[in-house]
Amino acid sequence: MHTTKILLAESEIPTHWYNVVADMPNPPAPYLAPNGELITPEMMGAIFPPAIIEQEMSQQRWIPIPEEVREIYRLWRPAPLFRAHRLEQMLGTPAKIYYKYEGVSPAGSHKPNSAVAQAYYNKAAGIRRLTTETGAGQWGSSIALAGSMFGLEVRVYMVKISYDQKPFRRSMMQTWGAEVIPSPSPLTASGRQILAEHPDSNGSLGIAISEAVEEAASRTDTNYALGSVLNHVLLHQTVIGLETRKQLEQVGDYPDMIFAPCGGGSNVGGMMFPFLADKAAGKNIRLVAVEPGSCPTLTRGHYAYDYGDTAGLTPLMKMYTLGHDFMPPGIHAGGLRYHGDSALVSQLYHEGLIEAVSVPQIATFEAGVMFAKAEGIIPAPESNHAIRATIDEALRCKESGEAKTLLFTLSGHGHFDMASYDKYFSGELEDFEYPKEALDAALLNLPKVSAPA
Amino acid sequence: MHTTKILLAESEIPTHWYNVVADMPNPPAPYLAPNGELITPEMMGAIFPPAIIEQEMSQQRWIPIPEEVREIYRLWRPAPLFRAHRLEQMLGTPAKIYYKYEGVSPAGSHKPNSAVAQAYYNKAAGIRRLTTETGAGQWGSSIALAGSMFGLEVRVYMVKISYDQKPFRRSMMQTWGAEVIPSPSPLTASGRQILAEHPDSNGSLGIAISEAVEEAASRTDTNYALGSVLNHVLLHQTVIGLETRKQLEQVGDYPDMIFAPCGGGSNVGGMMFPFLADKAAGKNIRLVAVEPGSCPTLTRGHYAYDYGDTAGLTPLMKMYTLGHDFMPPGIHAGGLRYHGDSALVSQLYHEGLIEAVSVPQIATFEAGVMFAKAEGIIPAPESNHAIRATIDEALRCKESGEAKTLLFTLSGHGHFDMASYDKYFSGELEDFEYPKEALDAALLNLPKVSAPA
């Protein structure tokens, strides 16, 4: 009999988050205002509570997780690490495949790891309401869940194409008491401006962020919560990698390669950062971010200062970007349609510590169905990206005979994405390579700014 | 810090199923043919493999679980037992509330516990195809999953109202490679007959069973798999109660009352049978089956020999029944719409070892939403029945000041039932008490048969 699930007791939920900034070869590029000045903590105070701002700027290696947050984590954490025996057999690969399954959270993905922390710090700061955006719905569900746990009102701006494709994500958020608004909406100036220019807009994460930020900035009882990209979000997600390290130690293993889906970077940071110090110290481990060919931020974007949202309300961050006015195609991995990427992930990619690959959409669903038939769990379309890259590597191992240890993040289940699977089964899905002309045009629209010396 | 999840290692997956027949005060009433003769194992051979028939008839207390089945169980078992700290606080009850969460299976409910075993025994007997029925879709999904694990083709007759209400359950089954047919269908004589009389029929579990049995009986390469009611199904489900006993021992607790939703009896048998010998030996424990007021089989049905399906193709079983031609209202707990009940559960209820209550539909959703806000997980509508009864008891404890230990089976998540939650939120749900005239009329239609002396 093979052990399938590697479990940890609740007492082994990490007590601290890991801040990769402490171990990066170079300090992170600072956030800038449009005039080139450094963003100060005070400037962020309009939409974030003090503890979050401190984490966003912190250089401290270990940051304690409040007991109130660990108490909620206990509802699903530690998340199981699986050895994919049946997938290995199906592929006939000598590689060992592990996956960390974050779909055990009530919202069905890794996103509550940060949502719960953010709700806690906002509640502690006397905030009564949160606004946020959501693409695939995983972040919106998570902040709805976290809001209900701490008694906060939640309003979610949901990218319109996802709102239409995934009605039951909306019902899920409503079950936890949140209000869900399709974005672009007439409720904000940012939304109204987009609707005036593109009345049939599918929306985008960038637009939804503009709407949520605008509302939070205009109300003192309301703050904003972001589900990816920012340092503090990736910090909260490091419980994924910290637990996984322990679980692999328990079975005496260590990964040769780690794969995670990459949209804004919360999966990549969450799983990979706790392994990054090893890599920086010369350990032979490869960290591979996997993104859609239709939204190839790391693999084909520009490394430059850009806004995090469409309307230009956020600070400028140095990151790989497709341009903040990027209008993504309606691919089904809604969580991977963001124009930019975490500044930390971008810098580590730029410095060669993290790699990236892009994969076409149809091949990701093919991988997801193969995985479901072998391992049972039906994955989220975002997770299918990591599965595709892992399977490809496992098949290369089959050719070469190498018995590599592969690890990927199964970031969530696909229970709210079955309409996308239906489209895959019926042959309606398309592959889409982002056109070079659009990338070149975006370059012209990047804000002209440079960091102070 | 409170422990929330009580976990067992994979090595503690039960090695044997528990057969309650060995500990029942009286032997089970035999299955009969319409002419009153005893059903023989040979008669069941047309649709079941030998190992299943042996289990159906067995009086042996412990039946070994094949290693191949335990190997698949490892993908999600042992299932966690939760202490509902947050629900207790929300209710302000002195009662302790535990729930066993079976939604961790890839199909999202307890049903794979039997599906995997049935697929294994059929594969071992050289069977190539399975037919089955499904109501809410939980059993169909489970047999689709199990079929994919053992390389069996699966055809699922899905009750039409569920097929329409839950399109993504269908997609889920298709992901695992199963074929899904709305029932009543023109593919079988049973289906064609219903369609001729009721072209707009919503379908029922009884009709879908007729279709699946008819097809299996007519093909030598095809067997039938049932998701509830029969002895072997309840036997397989006893892993639920066996694990729960161990988990409660681990925290030094024992339930005063156990609640489980009751449709065909697989939850009731699975959780309660392993506690029943204690009860039969005089232990002070109450076992409460919870059913919908709209389908009040135990609380208002007749205890009599009746068919398990609508067309009268199954053996006659002595059970509580609303009549085999019962046409259930379109309530949302699709898994609880069956006209009959397990013969074992029926007999134990008749003998006073198991109790039953019925609850109205709207109150069950109210309980489910309360649970989701406290504990995170969004429950299946079936599970909401057990939650309702548990909350009611916890509130009685609040009145009386009793610190009872309450345990319920959270049989599955509601990720594929959000359309039902939508109806609840929009005020479209109705309560429905099954009319007395219909119950009296059903009595006239019961088959006239009695067991041989």
Side-chain angles (χ1 to χ4, degrees):
Chain A
M1 300 267 287
H2 315 293
T3 297
T4 296
K5 299 182 301 302
I6 301 145
L7 302 176
L8 296 174
E10 274 179 27
S11 55
E12 296 183 272
I13 292 173
T15 56
H16 293 72
W17 291 301
Y18 168 70
N19 183 4
V20 74
V21 170
D23 290 315
M24 283 169 67
N26 298 298
Y31 296 166
L32 299 181
N35 64 4
E37 279 178 21
L38 291 176
I39 291 288
T40 61
E42 293 67 38
M43 292 161 119
M44 302 175 82
I47 58 170
F48 292 122
I52 291 286
I53 297 170
E54 196 185 318
Q55 290 176 0
E56 188 63 25
M57 307 284 193
S58 173
Q59 307 200 355
Q60 196 183 317
R61 182 172 288 108
W62 295 103
I63 295 182
I65 307 179
E67 280 308 299
E68 293 85 344
V69 171
R70 296 183 74 224
E71 200 67 46
I72 305 292
Y73 280 174
R74 284 165 177 266
L75 291 172
W76 71 93
R77 302 208 73 82
L81 179 72
F82 285 77
R83 171 77 187 273
H85 294 294
R86 292 178 49 89
L87 181 62
E88 293 169 18
Q89 280 163 27
M90 183 186 273
L91 298 171
T93 180
K96 284 191 274 188
I97 302 177
Y98 292 95
Y99 57 97
K100 175 76 166 175
Y101 184 38
E102 289 289 325
V104 290
S105 80
S109 79
H110 66 301
K111 295 285 185 184
N113 297 331
S114 183
V116 168
Q118 293 189 50
Y120 167 75
Y121 288 121
N122 275 290
K123 179 76 176 184
I127 289 295
R128 199 177 64 76
R129 285 178 81 245
L130 290 177
T131 61
T132 195
E133 77 294 330
T134 199
Q138 288 182 332
W139 172 248
S141 307
S142 303
I143 203 81
L145 169 72
S148 101
M149 295 283 153
F150 289 103
L152 291 168
E153 279 180 33
V154 170
R155 176 179 278 176
V156 180
Y157 289 93
M158 186 170 188
V159 176
K160 187 163 177 305
I161 189 169
S162 293
Y163 187 91
D164 293 340
Q165 281 177 353
K166 304 184 179 183
F168 297 144
R169 273 283 174 197
R170 177 179 42 69
S171 324
M172 189 181 211
M173 294 184 245
Q174 288 169 337
T175 303
W176 289 314
E179 184 190 11
V180 188
I181 311 282
S183 165
S185 84
L187 299 184
T188 66
S190 318
R192 286 189 295 269
Q193 190 183 332
I194 297 285
L195 287 172
E197 291 168 26
H198 308 280
D200 297 329
S201 169
N202 275 339
S204 72
L205 274 177
I207 297 169
I209 293 173
S210 295
E211 295 208 274
V213 168
E214 182 186 323
E215 180 180 335
S218 71
R219 291 183 59 155
T220 54
D221 65 345
T222 302
N223 267 348
Y224 168 68
L226 186 68
S228 192
V229 180
L230 294 181
N231 301 359
H232 68 272
V233 182
L234 276 63
L235 174 79
H236 301 154
Q237 291 295 353
T238 58
V239 291
I240 300 173
L242 293 169
E243 286 178 7
T244 304
R245 281 189 73 112
K246 259 199 204 175
Q247 286 163 313
L248 285 172
E249 275 165 28
Q250 204 169 288
V251 291
D253 223 331
Y254 189 90
D256 294 302
M257 296 180 76
I258 304 181
F259 301 90
C262 192
S266 73
N267 264 302
V268 166
M271 176 57 98
M272 296 181 188
F273 285 178
F275 291 89
L276 202 114
D278 295 355
K279 169 86 175 172
K283 179 103 183 173
N284 190 12
I285 176 174
R286 290 175 58 193
L287 308 172
V288 186
V290 190
E291 59 184 19
S294 56
C295 188
T297 316
L298 292 175
T299 49
R300 296 178 62 211
H302 308 291
Y303 187 48
Y305 270 97
D306 199 1
Y307 294 105
D309 70 323
T310 302
L313 302 180
T314 72
L316 292 165
M317 294 173 283
K318 194 166 184 191
M319 62 180 178
Y320 282 84
T321 177
L322 301 168
H324 59 274
D325 47 6
F326 170 72
M327 290 296 268
I331 61 159
H332 287 270
L336 306 184
R337 282 192 291 234
Y338 186 55
H339 70 276
D341 212 321
S342 148
L344 296 179
V345 169
S346 293
Q347 182 165 327
L348 291 164
Y349 173 66
H350 191 69
E351 294 175 353
L353 287 165
I354 290 177
E355 303 169 52
V357 295
S358 76
V359 288
Q361 173 164 257
I362 295 172
T364 63
F365 277 90
E366 184 196 21
V369 170
M370 202 184 295
F371 180 84
K373 286 184 172 160
E375 298 288 318
I377 299 165
I378 298 178
E382 294 79 11
S383 310
N384 286 344
H385 287 70
I387 297 173
R388 178 72 265 168
T390 304
I391 288 178
D392 288 346
E393 185 63 32
L395 293 174
R396 277 191 290 272
C397 286
K398 187 178 179 178
E399 295 253 311
S400 68
E402 285 172 288
K404 284 188 187 166
T405 298
L406 310 179
L407 164 66
F408 72 89
T409 309
L410 185 61
S411 52
H413 60 63
H415 300 170
F416 292 88
D417 305 287
M418 298 313 297
S420 305
Y421 278 88
D422 276 352
K423 288 228 166 67
Y424 166 69
F425 290 131
S426 65
E428 284 172 68
L429 282 196
E430 285 178 14
D431 284 335
F432 177 86
E433 281 290 314
Y434 202 68
K436 181 165 185 320
E437 312 80 69
L439 293 170
D440 293 342
L443 196 54
L444 303 174
N445 266 341
L446 290 176
K448 309 290 176 283
V449 72
S450 54
Chain B
M1 300 265 288
H2 315 292
T3 298
T4 296
K5 299 182 299 304
I6 301 145
L7 303 175
L8 297 175
E10 274 179 26
S11 55
E12 296 183 271
I13 292 172
T15 55
H16 292 72
W17 292 300
Y18 168 70
N19 183 3
V20 75
V21 170
D23 291 314
M24 284 168 68
N26 298 297
Y31 296 167
L32 299 181
N35 64 3
E37 278 179 20
L38 291 177
I39 292 288
T40 62
E42 293 67 39
M43 292 162 124
M44 301 176 83
I47 58 169
F48 293 123
I52 291 286
I53 298 169
E54 196 185 319
Q55 290 176 0
E56 188 61 26
M57 308 281 192
S58 173
Q59 308 200 353
Q60 197 183 315
R61 182 172 287 109
W62 294 102
I63 296 182
I65 306 179
E67 279 310 298
E68 293 85 345
V69 172
R70 296 183 73 223
E71 200 67 48
I72 305 292
Y73 280 174
R74 284 166 175 266
L75 292 172
W76 71 92
R77 303 209 72 83
L81 179 72
F82 285 77
R83 171 77 187 274
H85 293 295
R86 293 177 50 87
L87 181 63
E88 292 170 17
Q89 279 162 28
M90 183 187 273
L91 297 172
T93 180
K96 283 192 274 187
I97 303 176
Y98 291 94
Y99 57 97
K100 175 75 165 175
Y101 185 37
E102 289 288 325
V104 292
S105 80
S109 79
H110 66 301
K111 294 284 185 184
N113 297 331
S114 183
V116 168
Q118 294 190 50
Y120 167 75
Y121 289 120
N122 275 290
K123 179 76 176 182
I127 287 297
R128 199 178 64 76
R129 287 178 81 245
L130 290 176
T131 60
T132 195
E133 78 295 329
T134 199
Q138 289 182 332
W139 172 248
S141 306
S142 303
I143 202 81
L145 168 72
S148 102
M149 296 283 153
F150 289 103
L152 292 167
E153 278 180 33
V154 170
R155 176 179 279 177
V156 180
Y157 290 93
M158 186 169 188
V159 176
K160 188 163 178 305
I161 189 168
S162 293
Y163 187 91
D164 293 340
Q165 281 176 352
K166 304 184 177 183
F168 297 145
R169 273 282 173 198
R170 177 179 42 69
S171 322
M172 189 181 212
M173 294 184 245
Q174 287 169 338
T175 304
W176 289 313
E179 185 190 10
V180 188
I181 311 282
S183 164
S185 84
L187 299 184
T188 65
S190 317
R192 286 189 295 271
Q193 189 182 332
I194 297 284
L195 287 173
E197 292 167 26
H198 308 279
D200 297 328
S201 169
N202 275 339
S204 71
L205 273 176
I207 296 169
I209 293 172
S210 295
E211 296 207 274
V213 167
E214 181 187 322
E215 179 180 336
S218 71
R219 293 183 59 154
T220 55
D221 66 345
T222 301
N223 267 348
Y224 168 69
L226 186 68
S228 193
V229 180
L230 294 180
N231 301 359
H232 67 273
V233 182
L234 276 62
L235 174 79
H236 300 153
Q237 292 294 355
T238 58
V239 290
I240 300 173
L242 293 169
E243 287 179 6
T244 303
R245 280 189 74 113
K246 261 198 203 174
Q247 287 163 312
L248 285 172
E249 274 166 27
Q250 204 169 287
V251 292
D253 223 331
Y254 190 89
D256 293 301
M257 295 180 77
I258 304 181
F259 300 90
C262 192
S266 72
N267 263 302
V268 166
M271 175 57 97
M272 296 181 189
F273 285 178
F275 291 88
L276 202 113
D278 294 356
K279 168 87 176 173
K283 179 103 182 172
N284 190 12
I285 177 175
R286 290 175 58 192
L287 309 172
V288 185
V290 190
E291 59 183 19
S294 56
C295 187
T297 317
L298 291 176
T299 49
R300 296 178 61 211
H302 308 290
Y303 188 47
Y305 270 97
D306 199 1
Y307 295 105
D309 70 323
T310 303
L313 302 180
T314 71
L316 291 165
M317 294 173 283
K318 192 165 185 191
M319 61 181 178
Y320 282 84
T321 177
L322 300 168
H324 60 273
D325 47 5
F326 170 72
M327 290 295 269
I331 61 159
H332 288 270
L336 306 185
R337 282 192 291 234
Y338 186 56
H339 70 276
D341 211 320
S342 147
L344 296 180
V345 169
S346 294
Q347 182 166 328
L348 291 164
Y349 173 66
H350 191 68
E351 294 175 353
L353 287 164
I354 290 177
E355 303 169 50
V357 294
S358 77
V359 288
Q361 172 164 258
I362 295 173
T364 63
F365 277 91
E366 184 197 22
V369 170
M370 202 185 295
F371 180 84
K373 286 185 172 161
E375 298 289 317
I377 300 164
I378 298 177
E382 293 80 10
S383 309
N384 286 344
H385 287 69
I387 297 174
R388 177 74 264 167
T390 304
I391 288 179
D392 288 346
E393 185 63 31
L395 292 174
R396 276 190 290 271
C397 287
K398 187 178 179 176
E399 295 252 313
S400 68
E402 285 172 286
K404 284 188 188 168
T405 298
L406 310 179
L407 164 66
F408 72 89
T409 309
L410 185 62
S411 53
H413 60 63
H415 300 170
F416 292 87
D417 305 287
M418 297 314 297
S420 305
Y421 278 88
D422 276 354
K423 289 228 166 69
Y424 166 69
F425 290 131
S426 65
E428 284 173 68
L429 282 196
E430 285 177 14
D431 284 335
F432 177 87
E433 282 289 314
Y434 202 68
K436 182 168 185 318
E437 312 79 70
L439 293 170
D440 293 342
L443 196 54
L444 302 174
N445 265 341
L446 290 176
K448 309 289 176 284
V449 72
S450 53

